[in-house]
Amino acid sequence: MSITVNAMPLRLERRSQDESLWVIPIEFSPFIIGRSEGSNLLLTAEEVSRKHAEILETGDGWRIKDCGSTNGTFVNGRRLTDNYLLNHGDYITIGGIRFDVVEQIDDAECTQFVSPDAENLERMLDLKAVVPHFQPLISLKDGSLTGYEILGRIAYDGLPKSPAQLFEISRRLGRQIELSELFRDTALEHAAQLGIKELILFNTLPEEMNLECLGRSLKKLRESVPGLKLGLELHENTITNVEMMKNLRSMLHDLDMLLVYDDFGAGQSRLVELLDSVPDIVKFDIALIQNIQKRSEISRSIVETLVKMARDAGIRTLAEGVDSREEAETCRSIGFELAQGFYFGRPAPLSQL
């Protein structure tokens, strides 16, 4: 638990490549530095450990200690082997990123720090430096290709490659919707240029569920790619109420887009919304699919019952995360119509599929 501190205030400063000054006030003890979500200073570089280092208030001031990191914490160029009393003029290096230690005297000119990756993310967004990836959707009946799910990847050095980490940085900057739109707009423009005829599924964020704003974005998208077969994937955590689902369903129908209920079974599966606002496709979560051939008869029977319920309601079913021939065969026997997973193809640029 972090507590507010009384010691002489310090801050960390980092000068970015474009000479922007990023300032990180040390306002809590312990002040955690690491790669895990919830760190006071979040660093997403691969060289940074989940809990890399921490700065603690002590009787004689602020001390920094390494938390057993893989690549070490350095102060003034020396790797820490014990805790170290920080002073004005020291500098800390973690994951190759340097931070200067400065006495906190006047906050008037301080820029609140978001992440050392922030300026790189903003440049990446401005340059639209993304590479669309496509993962095949396969018919379990005959093994034919029925479509793709599009997934965003970046082509920019200095940022983590993990989409989850990218979206964490973008949320801290308030640009997560912009990143989501860039991923799907770029991928769908590419698919249209190549003349893709199969169904293409794209993802949305919970923050995009303002239907008025989402409607404007999707209308613009549809006008830019009028010939593509499209489906919007909606994670179950995004669903707030039945009325919202009905309005979304109607909006997508007007735009000639399918509604896809994603990650069904991952958490609190909302059967009421599923039945009251029928989607076109339900994707069963990977947690239900992994090693399904080894599950108990009762477990497989429950999945089979859910598949039959969806099919009887006119909903197509898709098994997500099929990574082996045995899983594929079991899903086929249970009654799944579609599947995706590493067994059928990993996400990749279309030129590599």
Side-chain angles (χ1 to χ4, degrees), residues 5 26 35 58 102 111 150 168 172 276 279 283 301 306:
V5 299
I26 303 173
R35 192 159 46 89
T58 65
V102 179
T111 301
I150 58 172
E168 175 63 26
R172 290 170 178 251
D276 280 2
K283 296 179 70 172
S301 177
L306 292 172

Side-chain angles (χ1 to χ4, degrees), residues 133-141 143-153 199-203 231-234 260-264 281-292 316-329 331-332 336-348 353:
H133 280 48
F134 296 74
Q135 186 171 29
L137 311 177
I138 301 298
S139 167
L140 285 173
K141 181 179 180 180
S144 62
L145 176 70
T146 62
Y148 301 94
E149 179 182 358
I150 58 172
L151 300 161
R153 301 291 186 267
L199 173 66
I200 300 178
L201 306 184
F202 61 87
N203 294 281
L232 178 148
E233 294 195 18
L234 185 70
V260 181
Y261 193 2
D262 193 16
D263 294 327
F264 180 73
I281 299 173
V282 169
K283 296 179 70 172
F284 282 62
D285 186 68
I286 188 172
L288 294 175
I289 305 304
Q290 281 185 330
N291 295 315
I292 192 170
R316 304 175 74 184
T317 55
L318 189 154
E320 189 172 20
V322 177
D323 293 341
S324 69
R325 179 178 57 83
E326 292 79 11
E327 288 174 350
E329 290 178 350
C331 287
R332 184 184 302 111
F336 280 100
E337 180 182 349
L338 305 170
Q340 72 179 106
F342 291 170
Y343 177 65
F344 301 108
R346 294 175 179 267
L353 292 176

Side-chain angles (χ1 to χ4, degrees), residues 111-184:
T111 301
Q112 179 62 46
F113 176 83
V114 178
S115 165
D117 299 311
E119 65 269 27
N120 285 334
L121 182 87
E122 292 188 341
R123 290 196 196 98
M124 186 274 289
L125 289 171
D126 292 340
L127 294 171
K128 303 185 186 301
V130 299
V131 178
H133 280 48
F134 296 74
Q135 186 171 29
L137 311 177
I138 301 298
S139 167
L140 285 173
K141 181 179 180 180
D142 58 13
S144 62
L145 176 70
T146 62
Y148 301 94
E149 179 182 358
I150 58 172
L151 300 161
R153 301 291 186 267
I154 63 168
Y156 192 91
D157 293 333
L159 284 170
K161 302 305 180 184
S162 163
Q165 290 181 329
L166 287 170
F167 276 109
E168 175 63 26
I169 298 168
S170 69
R171 284 187 176 93
R172 290 170 178 251
L173 292 172
R175 301 187 72 175
Q176 67 272 30
I177 293 179
E178 185 178 352
L179 179 59
S180 177
E181 290 179 341
L182 176 61
F183 276 148
R184 66 171 172 256

Side-chain angles (χ1 to χ4, degrees), residues 1-6 26-32 40 55-58 62:
M1 177 178 178
S2 296
I3 59 173
T4 305
V5 299
N6 299 309
I26 303 173
E27 299 174 324
F28 303 100
S29 178
F31 184 88
I32 307 299
N40 300 105
I55 299 175
L56 300 160
E57 182 191 21
T58 65
W62 294 98

Side-chain angles (χ1 to χ4, degrees), residues 55-71:
I55 299 175
L56 300 160
E57 182 191 21
T58 65
D60 53 355
W62 294 98
R63 288 185 175 271
I64 185 171
K65 73 170 186 176
D66 185 80
C67 296
S69 68
T70 301
N71 296 303

